[in-house]
Amino acid sequence: MFIDPERLESRLRAEFGGTSGQSRVVVRQAVDLADSGRYEDDAGVTLTNDLVVAELSDAPDGAPAERWNWWIGSLEIAYGGYERFGIQQYRK
């Protein structure tokens, strides 16, 4: 696995703020996306902590969950099939 959940959660909180619940759910979705192999197949690169943070940095604004959904939305438009990785709800 190229996603280190603990480090990713810490980086998300440091970079984008938000609640611990938001960061945890983004990490879970990132792990699921990495495990699926979908992103690597479509984009041709391995999903890593650095890549997730870089992609979320491109979002206009928001906490980790909003930024994640923005990125997943762009992947959905580009490739299709990413809606299942979006965040619908999380605990605060």
Side-chain angles (χ1 to χ4, degrees):
M1 178 186 310
F2 295 97
I3 297 288
D4 179 334
E6 289 180 18
R7 286 189 180 166
L8 181 56
E9 185 176 343
S10 295
R11 287 191 64 194
L12 291 172
R13 294 288 307 276
E15 296 280 333
F16 309 119
T19 67
S20 59
Q22 287 176 326
S23 295
R24 279 194 305 270
V25 74
V26 169
V27 169
R28 282 194 302 272
Q29 294 303 94
V31 168
D32 288 349
L33 179 55
D35 287 348
S36 77
R38 176 91 196 214
Y39 183 80
E40 189 167 359
D41 290 345
D42 288 337
V45 296
T46 301
L47 192 63
T48 64
N49 288 2
D50 289 340
L51 187 124
V52 169
V53 171
E55 293 293 347
L56 298 189
S57 293
D58 288 342
D61 59 8
E66 288 83 18
R67 288 172 178 271
W68 176 264
N69 279 342
W70 178 87
W71 183 48
I72 291 300
S74 68
L75 292 173
E76 177 63 30
I77 291 167
Y79 303 110
Y82 282 82
E83 70 281 345
R84 68 185 171 131
F85 298 106
I87 296 168
Q88 304 302 316
Q89 187 176 8
Y90 55 88
R91 290 185 189 162
K92 298 199 181 244

